[in-house]
Amino acid sequence: MRRLLLLIILAVGAPLPAVALEVAATTPNMAMLARSVGGEHVNVSVLAPGDRDVHYLEARPSMMVALRRADLLVAVGGELELGWLPAAVQGAANPRLLPGRAGHFEAAATVALLDAGSPADRSRGDVHPGGNPHIYLDPLRMAVAAEALAERMAELDPANAAAFRQNAGNFAARMERETAAWRERARGAPGALLFHKDAVYLMTRLEVPVHGYLEPLPGIPPTAGHIQQLVRELEGRKGVVFHMVYEPSRGPDRVGRELGWPVFRMHNNVPPEGVADDYVALIESWVARLEER
Amino acid sequence: MNKLVLGGFAAALCCAPAIAETSGPQRDPLDPTNLRQTARPIGQAGSGNAFNPAMSIIVDGAYYWDNVGGEAFEIIEEADGFAMGDGHGHGGDDGHGHGALDRGFNLRSVEMAFSATVDPYFDAFVMILFDGDDVELEEAFVTTRALPAGLQAKFGKFLSDVGYINKQHPHSWDFFDRPLVSELLFGEEGILETGAQLTWLAPTSQYLRFGVEALQGETGGIANYSGAEPEINGTSRILEDASGPRLFTGFAKFAPNLGFDHALQVGVSYGYASSFQNTIEHSTRFEDQEGTANFWGIDGVYKYTPPGSVGGRGSIKLQGEYFYRERDLDRRDVYFACHPAGIDCSDPAAQWQIGDVRNEESFKDKQDGYYLQALYGLAPRWSTGARIEQVGLTNETGRGSGQDWDDSRRYSAVLNFMPTEFSRLRLQYSRGDVAVDGEREKFNQVFLQFQMSLGVHGAHTF
């Protein structure tokens, strides 16, 4: 027994020395934001990969390891990670990251949300009365979040405050520049049918109409009846169908086939090690699909 | 939350002017459509409701059937070696246990859970359970928020963190019923005790958590307690008052980093009860047992989620636990009536008088059990699984001349459907093969369970 414990202790190794600000980001997009703002002054770890639905994760020991060491948690917020992040933070026993502390940053709390104040009624599906939390697909909201994040990092590491603000300013300026070009390219796109109410942020930013959602209600998978209704409503119009890699393709494929619209399987996150270039490439991938029409 | 809003404002205030210089004094080019968070209108989140605890209600019911006249739960309680006291059953004289169902429709429980942050230092959780007729306090504890260095303390009435399934509420289980090893070695609610816990999450690059608990000691299977009993006709009983805490546990959990797709956690646990007391009332004498008990166990859980998995399709969860329990007991019987029963004490045929002592002995009971289960994500929102269980691989009771009992087994298969994360339907079939008085009692059970979770949805722990 004692020997076993000793072996375990040896196997997991010694504590890691902290040099830069340790950041734990919930999703690769948030990690990208933290890297963009923190630059060389932060070490960023990602709690969850981008290829699965962030609504339905569970708190895992590896998340608690990252949170235990972190000085700053960067989350999307807006209750998006409600199903697992509170348990992971609680299990990490790191008081610096508790809601309300400087080490707890939620991007959604720094921007205005779409659909804020919708009724808290679960017969309408998995709704967020505080507003739609999927802000990470709006480059300009990400720009605002970057500036707020710079202030938070400055509070935790005042020595590098100027660098954080500079980086956030650069990121914001780039997003502004790119967005202007993206809007130009997407101008006149006939519109999109989405699976979940997430990419609505990007479509709104690009002024591309959203024709509807494959989910009859948030969190409820497409039903045959709902798909028929969508097809009836959109018959004869033009558009594209988008769904994320982790969303089933059967419903989208059927609507695409019946309407004659192209169907695209999209990513909503940068790779886990992603930086601002990857985020630009991510948004580009959406814009390019809209351009193709 | 307020701080975040303020943080947003601070960001707006500090950074806007720099950009504003080039594009006019009033307009923020980054925020042409008021992207930034604005203050909430007064009254939207008043302290009257904002400070209420988060509440959830879980309704758990089942249609139940078995082929032994509804007696399957009684048969399990009488499993050889595990029945309370002398190792074999007494015909179910305690009536229905906690987890027992009637054939037909049952409302197993309605759990009401409240959680809130008390102040900067404590979080609190309270769960009240209605099980049809009775209301009982299931859990009520506070957890520290602000201890440094990865330490966390908990006190109140809570489910012990030993093993894996012990601290889970029934609505988190992957099968309808508690594993036999947990029910028969500890109790029908596992180890649910009042006490204190201290855990430490080591600052290592892989998950390593240690914990110790000091518990009052009232769990039937491991720390049964009755306290001192009055003398009978001048003869004292061996049961004595023992102040709590009487049950002490320790555990360690280790989880290597296996990337995003795989997760593994293994644990070891140990427990020691400084007092185990039990009384069996025979027709003319009390049989008192008093001593100590201890247990150790190992547990493991492995989960695999394929990348890009849709609604849990293709995911795998393997879970298993083994526990070994040993009780070291002294026995002494004291007559409270003359023997044989009903005889007049002055009758010379009375073999034993009130206050006489008999059967003084010391013995050990050694028992164990395990379960292994696997769950597979068949399709989005659907999962299926199987569980095998065995108790009494070691099944020695030392009372009297000692006995080596047969083991008992149960095999289960399950099909789960989760329309949303707030509701679940489950169909389970179990085949029991239980040793009762040396005979094999076999039965089939079918559960059709529904579970609804209203209100705030609690976060999923590993």
Side-chain angles (χ1 to χ4, degrees):
Chain A
M1 185 80 163
R2 194 166 292 164
R3 186 179 280 175
L4 179 71
L5 278 181
L6 198 68
L7 273 175
I8 290 173
I9 291 167
L10 288 175
V12 296
L16 299 176
V19 279
L21 204 58
E22 289 290 336
V23 179
T26 56
T27 65
N29 285 337
M30 290 299 117
M32 178 283 299
L33 200 67
R35 287 188 194 102
S36 301
V37 175
E40 62 193 28
H41 307 297
V42 295
N43 279 335
V44 182
S45 51
V46 192
L47 301 185
D51 63 0
R52 49 205 80 180
D53 195 337
V54 73
H55 289 98
Y56 300 113
L57 299 172
E58 57 179 359
R60 288 191 163 188
S62 57
M63 295 175 178
M64 294 171 200
V65 169
L67 291 167
R68 163 79 166 88
R69 292 198 302 248
D71 304 303
L72 174 63
L73 164 66
V74 179
V76 177
E79 299 188 343
L80 182 66
E81 299 105 332
L82 192 66
W84 52 278
L85 190 58
V89 170
Q90 210 263 337
N94 181 350
R96 288 169 300 188
L97 308 186
L98 290 171
R101 303 284 176 94
H104 187 102
F105 179 86
E106 295 186 14
T110 68
V111 296
L113 303 184
L114 299 178
D115 302 330
S118 58
D121 176 359
R122 290 228 174 98
S123 68
R124 295 160 190 256
D126 190 10
V127 293
H128 300 277
N132 183 340
H134 300 279
I135 56 130
Y136 47 84
L137 284 175
D138 177 1
L140 293 194
R141 279 184 171 80
M142 287 292 266
V144 174
E147 293 185 331
L149 181 58
E151 290 314 305
R152 192 60 67 85
M153 286 181 175
E155 193 181 333
L156 294 169
D157 181 9
N160 293 310
F164 297 142
R165 290 184 183 125
Q166 177 73 40
N167 292 343
N170 291 346
F171 179 82
R174 179 170 184 191
M175 287 305 123
E176 202 188 338
R177 208 167 54 239
E178 302 275 9
T179 301
W182 288 327
R183 284 162 65 101
E184 201 52 48
R185 286 168 59 189
R187 188 187 300 278
L193 186 62
L194 305 178
F195 193 96
H196 184 65
K197 223 169 174 179
D198 43 12
V200 61
Y201 272 104
L202 180 60
M203 297 303 135
T204 308
R205 175 60 57 215
L206 298 175
E207 290 181 35
V208 171
V210 175
H211 291 314
Y213 302 94
L214 277 145
E215 289 181 336
L217 295 167
I220 308 290
T223 57
H226 181 64
I227 284 175
Q228 277 166 14
Q229 191 189 336
L230 283 173
V231 169
R232 259 198 318 277
E233 281 172 13
L234 300 172
E235 197 88 72
R237 295 169 71 174
K238 287 194 147 198
V240 294
V241 184
F242 287 127
H243 70 99
M244 304 298 179
V245 284
Y246 52 81
E247 288 163 344
S249 56
R250 237 177 73 194
D253 286 346
R254 212 181 118 199
V255 173
R257 205 166 49 239
E258 299 206 7
L259 289 176
W261 293 9
V263 179
F264 297 111
R265 194 160 169 265
M266 306 302 293
H267 286 271
N268 66 349
N269 261 284
V270 300
E273 296 79 31
V275 291
D277 287 343
D278 298 290
Y279 184 69
V280 168
L282 174 74
I283 303 295
E284 288 265 2
S285 72
W286 287 78
V287 173
R289 304 301 197 283
L290 288 167
E291 245 181 347
E292 283 172 20
R293 6 184 197 277
Chain B
M1 191 64 196
N2 275 342
K3 206 157 186 180
L4 293 175
V5 175
L6 287 178
F9 273 129
L13 289 174
C14 90
C15 308
I19 304 157
E21 275 171 39
T22 56
S23 57
Q26 294 302 318
R27 217 168 149 262
D28 175 358
L30 262 184
D31 194 14
T33 50
N34 294 319
L35 283 182
R36 291 202 164 92
Q37 178 75 281
T38 50
R40 283 188 186 171
I42 289 167
Q44 190 174 330
S47 59
N49 49 41
F51 284 132
N52 280 347
M55 189 171 83
S56 61
I57 300 173
I58 292 146
V59 181
D60 184 349
Y63 172 84
Y64 171 73
W65 175 87
D66 68 32
N67 67 340
V68 284
E71 297 293 312
F73 297 100
E74 281 75 7
I75 292 172
I76 291 169
E77 279 176 29
E78 290 165 24
D80 278 348
F82 294 91
M84 205 57 193
D86 49 1
H88 68 86
H90 281 278
D93 47 342
D94 322 343
H96 279 241
H98 200 69
L101 302 182
D102 293 324
R103 285 193 296 178
F105 290 102
N106 292 267
L107 186 63
R108 175 157 70 164
S109 67
V110 177
E111 297 171 343
M112 292 184 66
F114 304 88
S115 61
T117 297
V118 178
D119 58 23
Y121 312 108
F122 299 105
D123 287 329
F125 178 85
V126 174
M127 180 177 269
I128 295 164
L129 193 136
F130 300 78
D131 67 349
D133 316 308
D134 296 324
V135 180
E136 67 181 89
L137 183 67
E138 180 81 356
E139 283 193 290
F141 60 81
V142 294
T143 329
T144 57
R145 287 166 65 83
L147 289 189
L151 291 166
Q152 206 164 57
K154 186 191 251 192
F155 45 96
K157 185 182 182 193
F158 56 87
L159 289 159
S160 165
D161 213 348
V162 298
Y164 180 71
I165 210 169
N166 193 77
K167 72 161 190 293
Q168 294 182 350
H169 293 121
H171 70 258
S172 309
W173 298 344
D174 293 316
F175 288 79
F176 178 84
D177 40 8
R178 179 179 292 282
L180 285 178
V181 59
S182 169
E183 182 179 340
L184 295 179
L185 286 190
F186 301 126
E188 55 203 11
E189 293 179 291
I191 300 180
L192 173 61
E193 290 268 359
T194 304
Q197 178 195 70
L198 183 69
T199 63
W200 179 57
L201 184 60
T204 45
S205 57
Q206 308 199 41
Y207 183 85
L208 185 58
R209 182 165 165 261
F210 299 96
V212 289
E213 294 167 342
L215 307 167
Q216 189 62 12
E218 289 167 335
T219 300
I222 190 73
N224 204 49
Y225 180 72
S226 53
E229 296 286 346
E231 292 182 352
I232 297 174
N233 213 9
T235 306
S236 64
R237 314 243 319 245
I238 54 169
L239 303 177
E240 285 172 10
D241 281 338
S243 65
R246 297 177 291 263
L247 177 59
F248 305 88
T249 70
F251 54 85
K253 296 176 197 295
F254 170 67
N257 281 341
L258 300 176
F260 292 127
D261 302 339
H262 305 267
L264 172 71
Q265 179 180 286
V266 291
V268 291
S269 47
Y270 176 77
Y272 173 76
S274 60
S275 176
F276 181 94
Q277 302 179 336
N278 189 29
T279 296
I280 302 164
E281 187 178 333
H282 298 275
S283 57
T284 54
R285 64 192 153 96
F286 291 117
E287 174 182 340
D288 295 330
Q289 301 173 350
E290 152 132 1
T292 61
N294 67 78
F295 69 86
W296 62 267
I298 52 172
D299 58 274
V301 60
Y302 164 79
K303 295 185 190 184
Y304 168 70
T305 319
S309 164
V310 175
R313 178 165 59 198
S315 64
I316 295 170
K317 180 178 178 188
L318 305 175
Q319 176 184 333
E321 292 183 70
Y322 171 86
F323 278 102
Y324 180 90
R325 178 186 71 184
E326 193 170 299
R327 296 195 287 224
D328 192 350
L329 302 174
D330 296 326
R331 171 189 175 191
R332 199 171 83 137
D333 298 4
V334 179
Y335 280 90
F336 60 82
C338 292
H339 190 84
I343 200 167
D344 189 273
C345 288
S346 54
D347 190 326
Q351 294 169 295
W352 301 92
Q353 294 290 323
I354 294 173
D356 280 357
V357 167
R358 189 184 164 194
N359 295 334
E360 280 190 278
E361 60 176 347
S362 294
F363 60 89
K364 283 186 178 181
D365 295 337
K366 299 173 182 175
Q367 284 149 327
D368 65 356
Y370 71 86
Y371 73 88
L372 280 173
Q373 65 186 50
L375 220 71
Y376 174 72
L378 271 185
R381 313 197 286 171
W382 289 86
S383 65
T384 184
R387 178 180 68 183
I388 56 171
E389 299 177 81
Q390 194 176 3
V391 291
L393 294 84
T394 303
N395 199 359
E396 301 167 25
T397 56
R399 181 179 173 275
S401 49
Q403 192 142 6
D404 201 350
W405 305 91
D406 282 346
D407 66 331
S408 294
R409 299 165 194 208
R410 187 168 61 184
Y411 309 92
S412 307
V414 77
L415 180 67
N416 292 305
F417 173 56
M418 282 155 286
T420 65
E421 56 186 317
F422 304 104
S423 60
R424 182 207 301 271
L425 293 169
R426 170 181 291 148
L427 178 64
Q428 179 179 327
Y429 165 76
S430 291
R431 169 77 177 165
D433 178 4
V434 177
V436 177
D437 294 333
E439 305 283 319
R440 304 303 300 184
E441 296 266 4
K442 298 184 180 180
F443 56 82
N444 299 318
Q445 292 174 292
V446 175
F447 307 86
L448 180 59
Q449 184 189 9
F450 64 91
Q451 253 177 28
M452 308 292 146
S453 145
L454 290 64
V456 175
H457 189 68
H460 306 265
T461 52
F462 189 77

